[in-house]
Amino acid sequence: MKVIFFTNIFSHYRFSIWKLLLEEESINCIFYFSSKEFHGIKQSSLKKIKKSKLNKLRRIYNFSFLGKVIWQRGVLKKVYKSDADVFIFLGEMNIISTWISSIILRHRNKKVVYWGHGLYGNENKVKKFFRLIFLKLAHHHFLYGNYAKKLMINCGFGTNKMTVIYNSLNNDLLINTSKEIDVLNLKKPKFLTSKKYLIFSGRLNKVKNLSLLLDAMNYFSKNNIDLNLIIVGKGPVLEKLKHEYNNLIENRTVHFIGELYDEIKLGTYIKNASLFVSPGNIGLASIHSLSYGTPVCTHD
């Protein structure tokens, strides 16, 4: 069976799943993702994939309009010409090329699969109307949770057309890393000035609402509360946050680490933190933190 998987980026946390799919002999799985991500893939990760499989990681181009609507250039050409049996897309209706590709593939009698959240349950009437039209374009859905499956069943989707695959990290890696941190007796980073510290790890964007966390750090600092914050990651609001809260950087209350893919280092930061804080959206980061025994604080 030949499978083509169109996604947006090479997500680091997906690496283990991608590796398994690439090495599965019963299927020929090819991944297409943003050309920019080719420069961000760590050589250490690529070395874990068999050389004969590396040509299955291929590029397309993502173009964003109005900050939300996406067109993936190169997808339609593949959809028209490919002899693949199954085509997997992200189940995100803001990717316009996925709408058109799905319609074309259905006319070609090819199987279309969406991998995503399905229904969220918080859509207004208009958004729900269009999302249902979009979701019905797929023959099958890989869903992150049972709640979405329940919502979709209530909207007429057959149970045989949905599979809940959840959304998780490499559990074995986290368990082994946690044990290794204990064996090596790795403690909190030496650059910290406080006995206790908070941590955030993830993409730095608006929905994370990190300004709320940094405002809290400002309050702690002004009231002589001895507490540091480590922020791991990068994103579109990074420079803005650094500029607006430069005083916290200068007095060494807040430490922006940048991207970090070394699980030993990241695990050490998380495991020794008092609390993982994400004021806005949180997903796998909660699993990541709890796997190291560090509690999580987020919105309601």
Side-chain angles (χ1 to χ4, degrees):
M1 178 187 292
K2 186 175 181 179
V3 178
I4 290 183
F5 195 146
F6 293 108
T7 185
N8 52 357
I9 60 174
F10 188 109
S11 300
H12 180 70
Y13 72 90
R14 292 273 193 228
F15 176 77
S16 298
I17 296 175
W18 285 31
K19 184 174 181 290
L20 287 172
L21 290 172
L22 286 169
E23 295 178 353
E24 174 57 51
E25 296 301 328
S26 64
I27 60 173
N28 177 16
C29 193
I30 300 172
F31 292 88
Y32 285 93
F33 56 98
S34 170
S35 60
K36 293 180 181 179
E37 292 297 310
F38 276 88
H39 303 295
I41 301 174
K42 303 297 180 183
Q43 290 300 317
S44 57
S45 295
L46 292 179
K47 288 178 181 178
K48 296 177 183 177
I49 300 175
K50 295 177 182 178
K51 289 184 178 180
S52 60
K53 304 291 185 179
L54 289 177
N55 67 337
K56 297 183 184 297
L57 299 176
R58 302 177 185 179
R59 65 185 66 199
I60 53 176
Y61 297 85
N62 291 338
F63 293 94
S64 179
F65 305 93
L66 305 174
K68 292 184 178 181
V69 180
I70 296 174
W71 177 269
Q72 294 185 305
R73 195 178 80 187
V75 172
L76 292 188
K77 183 178 180 181
K78 307 295 185 303
V79 164
Y80 270 117
K81 296 183 177 181
S82 177
D83 60 348
D85 305 287
V86 179
F87 294 78
I88 303 176
F89 298 89
L90 294 180
E92 299 178 5
M93 70 173 186
N94 65 312
I95 306 177
I96 303 303
S97 50
T98 299
W99 286 75
I100 300 173
S101 297
S102 300
I103 293 170
I104 293 170
L105 288 168
R106 290 189 72 100
H107 280 288
R108 292 189 63 205
N109 293 317
K110 299 289 186 177
K111 192 164 187 178
V112 178
V113 177
Y114 287 171
W115 180 322
H117 291 278
L119 281 175
Y120 288 82
N122 61 353
E123 297 91 346
N124 58 38
K125 289 184 179 180
V126 175
K127 183 176 283 188
K128 184 177 181 180
F129 174 78
F130 283 105
R131 181 159 284 158
L132 286 173
I133 292 175
F134 172 71
L135 294 175
K136 288 176 181 178
L137 291 175
H139 295 95
H140 200 86
H141 292 271
F142 292 152
L143 300 172
Y144 291 140
N146 291 302
Y147 179 61
K149 182 177 181 179
K150 181 181 178 180
L151 291 174
M152 291 175 67
I153 289 173
N154 292 339
C155 290
F157 287 82
T159 56
N160 62 327
K161 293 186 177 181
M162 295 177 285
T163 303
V164 177
I165 60 172
Y166 302 104
N167 192 13
S168 63
L169 298 167
N170 186 336
N171 190 53
D172 291 337
L173 172 64
L174 296 182
I175 291 172
N176 293 332
T177 301
S178 184
K179 290 178 180 177
E180 188 172 351
I181 291 170
D182 289 338
V183 170
L184 296 173
N185 196 29
L186 299 177
K187 301 298 183 182
K188 70 172 188 175
K190 293 181 179 180
F191 57 77
L192 296 176
T193 60
S194 64
K195 291 182 179 180
K196 295 183 178 182
Y197 67 95
L198 309 178
I199 188 167
F200 167 85
S201 177
R203 183 158 174 78
L204 310 186
N205 52 30
K206 288 183 179 180
V207 297
K208 298 300 193 305
N209 201 16
L210 288 170
S211 59
L212 183 61
L213 173 57
L214 289 163
D215 285 341
M217 295 306 299
N218 248 332
Y219 173 85
F220 296 146
S221 180
K222 290 176 181 178
N223 287 273
N224 297 316
I225 297 173
D226 188 29
L227 190 65
N228 280 184
L229 168 66
I230 292 177
I231 295 180
V232 181
K234 72 172 188 178
V237 301
L238 173 59
E239 295 306 320
K240 183 174 183 290
L241 292 175
K242 282 185 174 182
H243 176 72
E244 291 182 0
Y245 298 94
N246 186 58
N247 62 306
L248 296 175
I249 298 173
E250 289 187 343
N251 67 18
R252 300 179 66 192
T253 297
V254 174
H255 303 266
F256 287 88
I257 303 300
E259 286 184 303
L260 181 59
Y261 295 115
D262 184 324
E263 191 59 38
I264 288 288
K265 288 184 179 179
L266 181 55
T268 300
Y269 288 167
I270 295 174
K271 187 162 186 165
N272 288 291
S274 297
L275 187 67
F276 187 108
V277 183
S278 182
N281 288 1
I282 189 168
L284 288 175
S286 60
I287 298 175
H288 202 177
S289 183
L290 293 171
S291 296
Y292 286 113
T294 300
V296 177
C297 176
T298 185
H299 60 71
D300 63 0

